[in-house]
Amino acid sequence: MLTSVQLKTFIPAKDYPLSQAFYTALGFTPGWQSDEMSYFSNGEHCAFLLQNFYVKEQADNFVMHLLVDDVEAWWANVHKENLTERFGIRTIAPEDQPWGVREFILFDPSGVLWRIGQEI
């Protein structure tokens, strides 16, 4: 039987220290770090690797979809941490989507698009 344990992606960072600070403020816990890569997680089964590597075309076409238990709490954290001003990012407020998810959108400091949502 084929089973999986976890799927991780490698997220590009244009400004590696800035992106590390951004993801910590967003709500991810930093794990091990090197000059080339950092491990971030939130909960037991949600993790990614931030890499000190950037190609604009890749970052501009990179999309992450994160399902959470409480999208309004995540949205409130975006404001509490003042992410828009601190990191110069764009956000779009939570909206109910026809596919059954209430989600908001943000672009990280490198241009990676995140859709953070909750099933409704």
Side-chain angles (χ1 to χ4, degrees):
M1 172 184 250
L2 301 176
T3 59
S4 61
V5 175
Q6 187 179 65
L7 174 68
K8 293 185 195 94
T9 190
F10 290 76
I11 296 177
K14 183 176 183 179
D15 180 329
Y16 187 57
L18 181 71
S19 290
Q20 288 173 314
F22 169 78
Y23 283 111
T24 300
L26 181 58
F28 289 94
T29 303
W32 61 264
Q33 299 181 7
S34 74
D35 291 341
E36 298 304 316
M37 197 170 308
S38 298
Y39 177 87
F40 284 89
S41 63
N42 183 283
E44 186 177 337
H45 299 289
C46 179
F48 63 88
L49 297 160
L50 181 69
Q51 56 185 339
N52 190 5
F53 174 81
Y54 175 79
V55 174
K56 180 176 177 18
E57 294 78 17
Q58 177 190 11
D60 287 348
N61 287 289
F62 206 100
V63 180
M64 296 292 293
H65 188 238
L66 175 65
L67 286 178
V68 297
D69 286 337
D70 186 348
V71 71
E72 298 301 333
W74 280 76
W75 181 245
N77 186 62
V78 167
H79 291 284
K80 181 185 96 165
E81 293 291 334
N82 200 23
L83 297 184
T84 304
E85 291 77 25
R86 279 176 61 195
F87 297 99
I89 65 162
R90 291 186 302 135
T91 62
I92 299 173
E95 294 181 14
D96 292 347
Q97 302 298 337
W99 49 86
V101 173
R102 179 169 179 75
E103 67 183 14
F104 67 90
I105 293 172
L106 63 79
F107 294 85
D108 85 351
S110 301
V112 172
L113 183 145
W114 281 77
R115 300 180 82 96
I116 300 176
Q118 173 183 353
E119 292 181 346
I120 51 176

